[in-house]
Amino acid sequence: MFSRVLKPVTVVAAQNGAKNFSTTSQRNFKVVVAGASGGIGQPLALLLKQNPLVTQLALYDIAPVTPGVAVDLSHMDTPAKVTGHKGPEELSAAIKGADVVVIPAGVPRKPGMTRDDLFNTNASIVRDLAKSVAQNAPKAILAIITNPVNSMVPIASEILTKVIINLFTPKIGALSSSCGIPARCTKYQLLSQSQPAVKLTDQGKIKALTERIQEAGTEVVKAKAGGGSATLSMAYAGARLTNSVLRGLKGESNVVECAYVKSNVSEAAYFANPVVLGKNGVEKNLGYGKLNAFEQELLKAAIPELLKNIKTGEDFAKK
């Protein structure tokens, strides 16, 4: 979907999943966590500090505590060098020369809030970070965790396209152990394609499980009773996705993740499905496979909302 020869920026976004980190031969990679002092950012940085593929870990946030987070992590006996950068004046230094930039920055959801409630604040953050990536690390892969991700990814795509004309081909993704469009009202899991396979025939149970998966984020928000949203699970998901991207960049074959990417697999310009990661970023889009009748109806219902989310992001970026 994009050529590493042209050194484009890549955009990806994370959801929950489970997979062991790579311990194979190392290359020198710089990874940036933008929003490193937050509820997702700190545990994400902790996990990335342990990844043998990361040799430089740059932490960026507007919070004054950010250099302290870097000093804290630097006491870990793992090889990655950690630097801390705070405030807009230090953003360029943090981003410069990065291979992967992971963005957990933004306002988290609180009880009663929808992802749309987060849009205005978080859209501006993603826009500004995307501009800095385009200017300071045009070879980087940009991984977005910030909600609402259905709109954040198109924003980054539009901004980067403006800055890196003819070099940028957007690759946007959402990590998931099974595939679905990433957002509560547009997310569904392809239970018929689960690995290992599960045999579900009771339509009531299938419906209940699907709805439980769709509401997983809300479940965490409610359980934390005003204390935040999903942070630890999202940090792990972001670390897993970053690891998979790095495995692909260093030449490992058959690295497959679910990713919310710009594609033509559906009528929506962005869609989540399995992709193959490699030296060229997303080397192959695997599509979403054959859906059963229940899943086809879910897709039909999700598309209008997804199209609306995408347009919201694109319109914001064009202003």
Side-chain angles (χ1 to χ4, degrees), residues 119-288:
F119 179 82
N120 287 330
T121 297
N122 290 354
S124 298
I125 293 171
V126 169
R127 175 198 63 202
D128 294 345
L129 290 171
K131 286 181 180 179
S132 183
V133 170
Q135 294 164 355
N136 297 289
K139 302 176 185 179
I141 292 176
L142 179 57
I144 297 176
I145 299 173
T146 307
N147 274 320
V149 81
N150 281 355
S151 299
M152 296 300 108
V153 162
I155 288 172
S157 177
E158 291 292 326
I159 295 298
L160 292 166
T161 301
K162 289 178 181 178
V163 177
I164 314 178
I165 299 173
N166 297 325
L167 292 183
F168 175 69
T169 306
K171 181 196 86 172
I172 300 69
L175 178 63
S176 171
S177 56
S178 54
C179 288
I181 304 165
R184 183 177 59 184
C185 57
T186 58
K187 176 175 66 181
Y188 65 90
Q189 309 304 107
L190 300 182
L191 299 176
S192 66
Q193 299 180 26
S194 294
Q195 304 246 352
V198 293
K199 295 182 179 180
L200 294 172
T201 57
D202 186 315
Q203 291 302 310
K205 289 183 178 179
I206 292 173
K207 184 175 183 294
L209 181 55
T210 299
E211 291 175 352
R212 173 80 185 278
I213 293 168
Q214 287 178 316
E215 295 292 331
T218 301
E219 183 177 290
V220 175
V221 171
K222 290 179 179 178
K224 289 191 174 181
S229 57
T231 55
L232 300 177
S233 56
M234 288 306 306
Y236 177 73
R240 169 186 154 170
L241 179 58
T242 302
N243 181 68
S244 293
V245 169
L246 294 176
R247 288 166 55 207
L249 291 179
K250 76 179 180 65
E252 185 174 333
S253 62
N254 198 34
V255 180
V256 177
E257 292 290 359
C258 286
Y260 177 53
V261 302
K262 190 167 188 178
S263 72
N264 59 2
V265 302
S266 76
E267 60 188 282
Y270 299 84
F271 200 81
N273 53 262
V275 297
V276 178
L277 300 170
K279 288 184 176 180
N280 297 315
V282 172
E283 294 192 333
K284 185 178 181 180
N285 190 316
L286 300 178
Y288 55 79

Side-chain angles (χ1 to χ4, degrees), residues 285-301:
N285 190 316
L286 300 178
Y288 55 79
K290 184 177 181 179
L291 308 183
N292 61 32
F294 177 70
E295 292 164 349
Q296 288 174 10
E297 288 302 312
L298 290 173
L299 175 59
K300 183 179 179 180

Side-chain angles (χ1 to χ4, degrees), residues 27-39:
R27 271 183 51 186
N28 295 328
F29 290 116
K30 176 180 178 179
V31 177
V32 178
V33 179
S37 295

